[in-house]
Amino acid sequence: MGTYKRNDRELNEIRSLEITPNFQPNNQSSCLVKLGNTHVCCSAILEDRVPGFLRNSGKGWLTAEYGMLPSSTSERMDREAAKGRQSGRTQEIQRLIGRSLRCAVNLDILGEKTIKVDCDVISADGGTRTASITGGCVALFLAIKNHHDDQRAIKSFVAAVSMGIKENQVLLDLDYDEDSTADTDLNIVMNDKDELIEIQGTAEDAPFSKKELDDMLVMGSQAIADIIKKQKACIE
């Protein structure tokens, strides 16, 4: 048995989660997600055009962008725009957000429109990608609710959570200190039908067992079910 203990919460407990819809005055299809000390502003807009490969197809598209403000971490980060290119990490995360949220919307019913979801990290303390997916889904559905005639374009709620193993203990929703020292990192994305959309898992120090993977999936699915209840309360 492991010996790791948290001071502020149980091992199977997520940090305090707040989702504030309509966060941006100029875009009512937005929300602020606060997951402990990780804060992400998510917004979505609906455009009357699609990428070239979807023209005349009758189908829509969804794309996502992710970024971190220079002051979102303890040491200032240079803006990637100033460097002239995005980091590999940024590209990987925004592709994950896009893949996850395309599972939330019925692109056939959306029609030839593109939804652009922006996720901007204001404060980073671990779990920025999972918070972005959770908040991005709320912003996405607000955009459909506010600007689309057919609400059937909303297919299923999607949320994400991080997990890990530290000192032989399975942990839910790792903060930065835990994430940077964990033996295993795992992120899962699921929908409101208890179906998996994506699993990202890496053994940082030592391999993890199938049982530990099963334990993380059970713990994560229960947490996501609770997160989705908060998402739905923002849309109703």
Side-chain angles (χ1 to χ4, degrees):
M1 293 292 292
T3 58
Y4 181 76
K5 293 185 182 299
R6 287 169 161 166
N7 295 324
D8 57 343
R9 57 191 168 114
E10 299 299 323
L11 300 182
N12 63 348
E13 183 181 359
I14 70 168
R15 292 167 286 178
S16 60
L17 174 63
E18 298 177 27
I19 306 175
T20 304
N22 308 321
F23 174 69
Q24 294 179 301
N26 293 330
N27 183 3
Q28 295 304 299
S29 303
S30 63
C31 70
L32 176 65
V33 178
K34 291 185 177 181
L35 182 62
N37 289 325
T38 290
H39 303 169
V40 185
C41 176
C42 301
S43 62
I45 63 167
L46 199 63
E47 296 185 342
D48 290 321
R49 57 183 176 179
V50 291
F53 70 92
L54 284 174
R55 286 176 189 158
N56 302 316
S57 69
K59 296 182 179 181
W61 188 243
L62 182 146
T63 186
E65 292 188 15
Y66 166 95
M68 299 179 67
L69 296 186
S71 59
S72 62
T73 55
S74 57
E75 295 184 4
R76 185 188 184 278
M77 300 172 54
D78 289 335
R79 295 183 190 274
E80 292 186 342
K83 298 178 180 178
R85 62 183 180 87
Q86 290 180 317
S87 68
R89 175 184 179 274
T90 294
Q91 293 180 54
E92 184 267 326
I93 290 177
Q94 63 188 24
R95 287 170 183 157
L96 168 66
I97 297 169
R99 287 195 304 271
S100 301
L101 296 183
R102 281 193 287 274
C103 292
V105 62
N106 191 324
L107 296 175
D108 291 332
I109 292 177
L110 186 64
E112 291 195 23
K113 299 178 184 294
T114 295
I115 299 177
K116 293 185 176 180
V117 179
D118 290 297
C119 302
D120 294 289
V121 179
I122 301 171
S123 175
D125 186 31
T128 61
R129 72 185 66 197
T130 58
S132 295
I133 291 169
T134 295
C137 182
V138 172
L140 160 64
F141 285 175
L142 287 172
I144 293 174
K145 182 178 180 181
N146 294 336
H147 303 293
H148 199 275
D149 294 332
D150 194 338
Q151 297 300 293
R152 294 179 302 159
I154 295 175
K155 185 163 72 172
S156 59
F157 281 79
V158 169
V161 73
S162 68
M163 282 155 293
I165 299 174
K166 182 178 173 66
E167 298 178 15
N168 298 316
Q169 299 272 39
V170 174
L171 312 180
L172 180 69
D173 184 31
L174 282 64
D175 61 24
Y176 176 77
D177 288 338
E178 292 172 334
D179 183 59
S180 61
T181 58
D183 298 321
T184 296
D185 288 330
L186 188 81
N187 299 299
I188 64 169
V189 186
M190 299 182 71
N191 64 17
D192 55 8
K193 301 178 179 65
D194 201 34
E195 297 171 330
L196 285 161
I197 293 171
E198 184 144 353
I199 303 174
Q200 295 182 328
T202 304
E204 300 287 353
D205 184 54
F208 54 96
S209 68
K210 291 181 179 179
K211 182 183 184 305
E212 288 172 324
L213 175 60
D214 289 341
D215 290 343
M216 286 188 284
L217 291 176
V218 169
M219 185 182 294
S221 66
Q222 293 171 344
I224 286 177
D226 291 335
I227 293 170
I228 288 175
K229 290 178 183 177
K230 294 195 173 185
Q231 287 177 316
K232 291 182 175 180
C234 295
I235 307 300
E236 294 174 350

